[in-house]
Amino acid sequence: QKGIWFFHSYSKVDLETATINVTIQDFVADVVAELFFRNVEPVSQETVFIFPVDSNTVVHSFYATMGDTRIEAMLCEKEEAQQLCKATAGMENLRYLQDQCDLWGPVFACFLGTLPPDREVTISLCYVQELPLQPDGAAQFCWPHKLLPQSNFFSEVSSFTFSHLFLPAGWMSSEEISENLHFNICLKSARGVSHVAINSKHTPLQYTAPDQTSAEVSLKSSPWMYSDLNVLVYYRGPRTLSAVVERRDPKAPPGSLLGDPVVMVTLMPDIPEEVPNPGQPGEFLFLMDRSLFQDAQVPPEELPHLSSTHPSICPQNTLLFLLKSLPLGCYFNIYSFGATFNAFYPQSVEYTQESMDNAVGRISSICPDLGGCDLLSLLRSIYSTPHLHGHARQLFIFIQRKISSEEEAVMAEVYRYRDHHRCFCFPTNSCDSFNLSQAMALETKGECVCLHSKMDMTSEAVKCLQRALQPVASGISLHWDLPPGLEVSMIRKAPEVIFQGHQSSIYAQIRGQAQDAEVGEGSVTLQYHVGSQSFDYTLRFSLSPSSDGRLPVHRMAMMHLLWKLACEGTSRAEKDIQHSAVKSSLSVGVPSPLTSYVAVRMKQRDAWHCDSLPPDSSMLVSPSCNLVPCQLLWLRGFQSVWFKSTKFWVVQKCQFCLEMLGHKAPDTEALTQLSASCKGKEKLLRVMVALQKANGSWALTAALASALGVSKADVEGQRPSKGVQPTAWATVLALVWLYQYKWKVSWLELLEDKACRWLHDQAEVPLDECLEAANSLLGCFVELTVFRI
C-alpha cells in the first residue's frame, strides 16, 4: 500500500528495474524491494525519497546508493535525534516539502541530494505489514503502480495531473516489462495455501511443500495502465483463527522480546447476520460541526433559494432521523464543536423515550459557529470517558471546516484508541479536512462518505447507522494451553468488540522453557458472544516453526509494544521498561513515538566495513560520514498518499465530476425528483417521524391524524375492533401511510424496522384485519409485506 516519489521542478527520473520479494504468512507481509532509477535529463536533479507509511506498516531498513556514496537510515532515541537534526544541513528541504507538497498523510522522507545526468540511484527498502481481511476471507496485499516499470500512455494528461510525481516514460510491451520487473511472492500458512487472485499476468501457483503449506508465484508483467497491483491470498480450512509463531533471535538474550518466540494470532469471528437477541446494541456519539447550522435561522420557505453548495445537507433533519432510528437499550450523546465543544449530556445516556424526547428538543439549541474548529480537544474528552462494557463505541463525525488542531495529533489519538471504537465520517465536498476524515475512518475500520451538492446527509448517515447496528462480537477472550514451563505475556490484547467482517491481530511473547522438549504444540481458544449466543473456537499451533531470521512478527510486536509504552505513565519503573524497549527497537529498526530517524551519508568503502550502522553517535562524527535529512513527516497537502484513501479520493472526485456533467446516480435522481415534487409531503414526513416513539410505535393522536390527512374521528371509527389497542392501530396506519406515498427511501428502513418489531412483540394483533382497514381509510393497496412477514 505504498508509493515512492522523486520531487523536482519539471523533469523526470525513470524507473529502470524493480526487484521485489514478498513473503506473506497468513496476515503479515515481509517485503524487500530494490529499485533502480536513472536521471534521463541533461541536467542534475535534486531528489527526495518519499514513502507513505500507515499504522500497520513498519519500515525497518532503508538505504540509497549513488555511485560510491551510500545513504543509510537509522533510528535514535527521540531527544538524541532531535539534537542531531539541528546540526543537519538541508533540513529546510523536508520542512519545505511538508508545507508545499500537494500530498497529505504520514510518510518516511529522506533527502538524497543531487543526481547528475545519466546517473543511477538504487533504493533498497525493507518493511513489514499487517494485511487486511477481505469479505471473502482473503488476505490482501497491495503494491502501487508507481513502483512498477510500465508504460505512460497518457503522458500529457499524467504530467498535468501528477505534476510533481515520478512517471515513467515510454511504452513497454509485456515482454519488455518482464525483463525489468522481478516480483516474487512466497506464501506460507500452517492452514495450507488454497489459491491466489492477482490482477496481473503471473506464473501458476507452485507448491513448495507436500502439505501445501508453502507456495510461490511470480509476476509476468505489471498490471494494466495505472492499476495498483492487488494480490488476494486464500487459505484452507476455517478462517476464525490463525496463528503465526516466530522463533526467537538467537543473538538476543532470553527473556527479551527478541530473545523469546512471539505468536501473532489473527481473530476473525464468525458473526451471524441475524441474531435472535441482539443484546447490548452499542454507544453512538454524534459530533456535529457547528458551521453546518449556519442556515438554521433561515425561514423554511427561503431554504430552496440558498446557494446550491449543499442544498440537501440539513443537520437538524439528520439528527432527528438518527435519534429516532436508534434501538432501545443503546447509549448515545450529541456533541457540537467549533472553537470549543458542547455536549448534550456529561456522558452518554441510555436511549429511552424520555432521553430521546429531551435530545430532540435540544437540537434547535445548537448555534452556528464560523470560528475555529478544534476536533482534537473533543476527541480527547470522549476518549477519556469510561467505555461502556459490551457497548461498541461508534462516532459519527460531520465536518465542514478545516480543523484548527494538528492533524498528526488527531490521528495519534485515533490510533491510540483504534481498538476501542469506530468512526463514520461525513465531510462536505468543500471540507479542507477531507483526507483527515478518510484517515480516521480507515484507521478505525469505519466509513467515510463525502457529502456534495447532490447527496443527502440524512440518507448517507442512516445508511452508515444501519451498518453500525449490525451484530458485533463482544466479550472476547483468549485462553492458552501451552506445555508445562511455558507461559504467554500479552503485548497487544484482544479488543473488547470486533465488528462484522473485521479482524484483529494480537501479539504475545512466549516465555520460559518447556519441561518436555518433545511437546512441540500449543493451542489457543477464542471465546466471544454475539447477542445471547456464545461461540468458542480452538486452534492448535506448532511451537517449532521454520524461520528465515527476518523477524517480521517480532517487528510488528515491537511496534505495538512501543506504542503501548509511549501511551502509559512516566513512573520510574515504566521509564526503565521504556528504556529497555527502545534499546531493543533500535537494534531492529522499529520506529515509534520514542524514536526518530536520522540518515548517514558515507563512502561505499566505509559501508563495506559494517553490515549495519550501530545506534551510536560516535559513528556520526567520522570524517567519512555526514548527516542527511531523514524523518517521518506529516504532509499537509490535499491528495492523500494512503493507498486506500487515494483510491477512495479518486472515486469521489470522479463521482462529483459526473454529477457536474449532469449524470446522476439512480438513488440520487429518484431522491431529487421526490424532493422536488413532494415539498409538502416532506414536511409531513418530518412530522410523522417526530411523532414516532422510541420503541418504534405511534400514539393515536390528533397530530397523527392530521399528518395522515384524515380526521381523528375517522381514525377512531375505522379501528377494526375494540380488541385492537389504539397504539397498534396507529402504528399500522403510520406504516401504511409511509408505504403509500413512496417514502421507501433508505433513511426510513430503520424506523420501519423498529415499528415492525414492536408490532410483532404485541400479543394477538390481527395484522391482516388492521391492514385491510388501513387500506380502506387511506385509499391504498398495501400488502402484508409492509410488516416484514
Side-chain angles (χ1 to χ4, degrees):
Q1 303 179 2
K2 309 301 156 208
I4 293 178
W5 292 270
F6 284 84
F7 285 77
H8 39 76
S9 299
Y10 302 105
S11 43
K12 302 173 181 177
V13 177
D14 278 6
L15 174 63
E16 292 193 337
T17 305
T19 300
I20 301 107
N21 292 292
V22 182
T23 300
I24 298 175
Q25 189 165 5
D26 282 25
F27 289 91
V28 63
D30 184 15
V31 183
V32 179
E34 195 166 53
L35 309 168
F36 299 87
F37 294 89
R38 181 180 295 274
N39 180 12
V40 298
E41 296 297 321
V43 294
S44 298
Q45 300 295 328
E46 294 292 310
T47 56
V48 179
F49 173 87
I50 299 178
F51 185 74
V53 292
D54 58 30
S55 60
N56 292 320
T57 302
V58 174
V59 176
H60 60 86
S61 177
F62 166 79
Y63 63 87
T65 303
M66 292 185 286
D68 65 346
T69 299
R70 172 181 165 121
I71 297 173
E72 183 167 351
M74 57 180 282
L75 282 173
C76 293
E77 288 185 329
K78 189 153 244 176
E79 293 183 3
E80 180 184 359
Q82 289 172 348
Q83 293 297 321
L84 293 172
C85 288
K86 290 180 181 179
T88 303
M91 283 299 294
E92 64 276 3
N93 290 295
L94 295 189
R95 296 289 171 257
Y96 177 84
L97 172 68
Q98 188 174 28
D99 295 325
Q100 300 299 321
C101 174
D102 60 352
L103 299 178
W104 182 95
V107 299
F108 168 87
C110 185
F111 181 73
L112 301 180
T114 302
L115 184 63
D118 198 37
R119 294 289 294 275
E120 286 185 347
V121 57
T122 302
I123 301 293
S124 295
L125 176 74
C126 300
Y127 69 89
V128 296
Q129 179 182 63
E130 287 183 12
L131 301 182
L133 171 73
Q134 295 304 293
D136 60 0
Q140 181 189 31
F141 173 79
C142 296
W143 184 266
H145 69 274
K146 299 179 184 70
L147 294 186
L148 295 169
Q150 56 184 303
S151 60
N152 183 20
F153 185 74
F154 300 110
S155 57
E156 293 185 3
V157 175
S158 298
S159 63
F160 171 78
T161 307
F162 304 103
S163 57
H164 293 293
L165 304 185
F166 157 72
L167 286 172
W171 178 268
M172 294 184 180
S173 66
S174 296
E175 290 75 13
E176 291 174 320
I177 291 176
S178 63
E179 294 177 359
N180 294 277
L181 174 65
H182 309 278
F183 203 117
N184 303 308
I185 306 171
C186 177
L187 308 172
K188 298 180 181 179
S189 176
R191 294 182 291 162
V193 178
S194 174
H195 61 284
V196 295
I198 306 176
N199 63 334
S200 176
K201 292 182 179 180
H202 57 88
T203 62
L205 190 66
Q206 297 290 328
Y207 289 104
T208 55
D211 56 0
Q212 299 186 345
T213 56
S214 63
E216 292 181 349
V217 65
S218 299
L219 297 191
K220 289 184 176 180
S221 64
S222 300
W224 172 248
M225 298 304 292
Y226 297 120
S227 296
D228 297 291
L229 176 66
N230 196 4
V231 180
L232 299 178
V233 186
Y234 297 84
Y235 303 108
R236 302 188 188 281
R239 71 182 195 187
T240 306
L241 274 176
S242 76
V244 177
V245 181
E246 189 171 82
R247 285 182 175 177
R248 61 180 293 269
D249 182 356
K251 296 178 291 185
S256 66
L257 180 60
L258 293 176
D260 285 335
V262 168
V263 58
M264 170 186 175
V265 179
T266 304
L267 316 178
M268 301 161 282
D270 184 14
I271 303 175
E273 292 284 344
E274 300 288 339
V275 292
N277 181 6
Q280 298 168 315
E283 179 189 20
F284 302 92
L285 308 178
F286 305 109
L287 286 59
M288 310 295 297
D289 182 346
R290 284 199 288 264
S291 70
L292 290 166
F293 292 80
Q294 57 186 306
D295 298 325
Q297 309 303 322
V298 178
E301 62 273 12
E302 295 183 16
L303 283 174
H305 306 293
L306 292 176
S307 168
S308 61
T309 304
H310 41 74
S312 298
I313 294 178
C314 182
Q316 297 91 341
N317 279 355
T318 299
L319 279 178
L320 172 65
F321 278 85
L322 287 172
L323 284 171
K324 292 288 183 173
S325 300
L326 292 175
L328 286 173
C330 76
Y331 284 76
F332 77 99
N333 205 347
I334 297 175
Y335 301 84
S336 63
F337 64 94
T340 59
F341 67 88
N342 295 310
F344 276 25
Y345 309 103
Q347 59 186 16
S348 297
V349 296
E350 185 177 357
Y351 182 77
T352 63
Q353 184 65 45
E354 181 181 1
S355 63
M356 184 199 72
D357 288 341
N358 178 273
V360 169
R362 297 178 66 176
I363 293 176
S364 60
S365 68
I366 300 178
C367 298
D369 176 4
L370 302 180
C373 185
D374 183 9
L375 181 60
L376 179 61
S377 297
L378 173 54
L379 290 176
R380 284 175 172 167
S381 175
I382 290 173
Y383 295 152
S384 66
T385 59
H387 192 278
L388 297 168
H389 180 69
H391 288 270
R393 175 173 285 178
Q394 306 192 68
L395 276 59
F396 287 67
I397 305 174
F398 300 85
I399 187 166
Q400 181 169 251
R401 296 171 292 176
K402 183 175 179 62
I403 66 166
S404 309
S405 46
E406 287 290 332
E407 294 173 329
E408 185 176 4
V410 171
M411 285 307 303
E413 288 294 308
V414 172
Y415 174 80
R416 179 178 177 180
Y417 295 96
R418 65 174 181 163
D419 289 336
H420 304 286
H421 76 298
R422 180 164 62 171
C423 293
F424 294 90
C425 299
F426 306 90
T428 64
N429 68 298
S430 58
C431 179
D432 290 330
S433 297
F434 181 78
N435 285 320
L436 177 66
S437 298
Q438 293 182 75
M440 289 191 292
L442 282 171
E443 191 64 71
T444 58
K445 301 179 181 178
E447 189 170 342
C448 178
V449 181
C450 178
L451 302 173
H452 52 73
S453 60
K454 300 300 182 183
M455 293 180 68
D456 183 84
M457 175 188 280
T458 304
S459 173
E460 297 304 321
V462 175
K463 284 179 185 176
C464 288
L465 181 59
Q466 286 178 305
R467 180 183 169 193
L469 288 171
Q470 292 175 343
V472 301
S474 61
I476 300 166
S477 62
L478 291 177
H479 303 275
W480 301 84
D481 183 11
L482 299 180
L486 296 180
E487 62 179 6
V488 296
S489 174
M490 299 302 297
I491 297 172
R492 185 189 187 192
K493 298 181 180 179
E496 291 196 8
V497 297
I498 298 180
F499 298 100
Q500 198 169 67
H502 292 164
Q503 81 205 60
S504 179
S505 294
I506 66 98
Y507 295 84
Q509 185 176 350
I510 302 177
R511 297 177 178 270
Q513 185 71 38
Q515 296 177 8
D516 186 352
E518 294 184 359
V519 180
E521 279 193 338
S523 68
V524 60
T525 299
L526 167 66
Q527 295 181 340
Y528 63 93
H529 305 284
V530 180
S532 59
Q533 299 181 15
S534 298
F535 299 85
D536 64 88
Y537 297 89
T538 298
L539 174 70
R540 299 199 64 81
F541 54 85
S542 172
L543 293 171
S544 302
S546 60
S547 177
D548 57 7
R550 293 188 51 79
L551 303 174
V553 176
H554 278 80
R555 296 185 198 277
M556 294 304 305
M558 179 67 74
M559 182 194 72
H560 289 291
L561 175 62
L562 289 169
W563 270 95
K564 173 184 174 183
L565 292 173
C567 295
E568 291 178 350
T570 57
S571 68
R572 181 176 180 84
E574 287 168 342
K575 284 186 176 181
D576 292 340
I577 294 174
Q578 288 183 6
H579 178 75
S580 175
V582 169
K583 184 178 179 181
S584 297
S585 76
L586 298 181
S587 65
V588 292
V590 176
S592 75
L594 307 174
T595 56
S596 185
Y597 279 110
V598 296
V600 177
R601 178 187 287 113
M602 68 184 75
K603 297 298 182 181
Q604 278 289 87
R605 62 176 179 270
D606 297 320
W608 292 336
H609 295 295
C610 56
D611 294 331
S612 62
L613 290 174
D616 185 346
S617 58
S618 63
M619 186 70 183
L620 305 178
V621 297
S622 170
S624 59
C625 301
N626 60 352
L627 293 176
V628 174
C630 177
Q631 280 189 347
L632 288 174
L633 293 180
W634 190 276
L635 303 183
R636 304 188 181 102
F638 66 90
Q639 181 180 343
S640 176
V641 296
W642 292 36
F643 170 75
K644 290 183 179 177
S645 298
T646 303
K647 185 176 181 180
F648 181 88
W649 182 87
V650 171
V651 170
Q652 291 291 349
K653 290 297 182 181
C654 289
Q655 182 184 33
F656 179 73
C657 292
L658 285 175
E659 295 195 357
M660 292 298 290
L661 293 172
H663 300 283
K664 303 175 183 177
D667 290 345
T668 304
E669 184 173 7
L671 186 59
T672 304
Q673 292 175 353
L674 185 63
S675 178
S677 62
C678 303
K679 291 296 184 182
K681 296 185 180 67
E682 186 177 277
K683 182 177 180 181
L684 290 177
L685 172 63
R686 289 195 295 268
V687 172
M688 185 70 73
V689 171
L691 292 173
Q692 190 178 26
K693 301 297 182 181
N695 61 9
S697 67
W698 276 266
L700 191 57
T701 63
L704 175 66
S706 176
L708 294 172
V710 296
S711 67
K712 187 177 181 183
D714 289 339
V715 172
E716 291 280 8
Q718 289 288 338
R719 183 155 49 121
S721 66
K722 292 185 179 179
V724 177
Q725 294 297 319
T727 303
W729 172 231
T731 303
V732 170
L733 285 173
L735 278 172
V736 172
W737 184 90
L738 294 175
Y739 192 91
Q740 174 195 6
Y741 283 104
K742 306 299 182 185
W743 295 112
K744 198 67 176 171
V745 289
S746 61
W747 63 79
L748 283 182
E749 290 183 9
L750 290 177
L751 301 180
E752 292 174 338
D753 286 342
K754 286 177 69 173
C756 291
R757 284 196 301 271
W758 183 86
L759 283 171
H760 294 163
D761 290 340
Q762 307 310 302
E764 300 178 357
V765 176
L767 292 178
D768 52 350
E769 186 180 345
C770 290
L771 179 61
E772 183 179 354
N775 279 332
S776 175
L777 176 63
L778 300 177
C780 53
F781 303 94
V782 178
E783 298 181 353
L784 276 172
T785 53
V786 71
F787 301 122
R788 307 289 199 269
I789 57 176

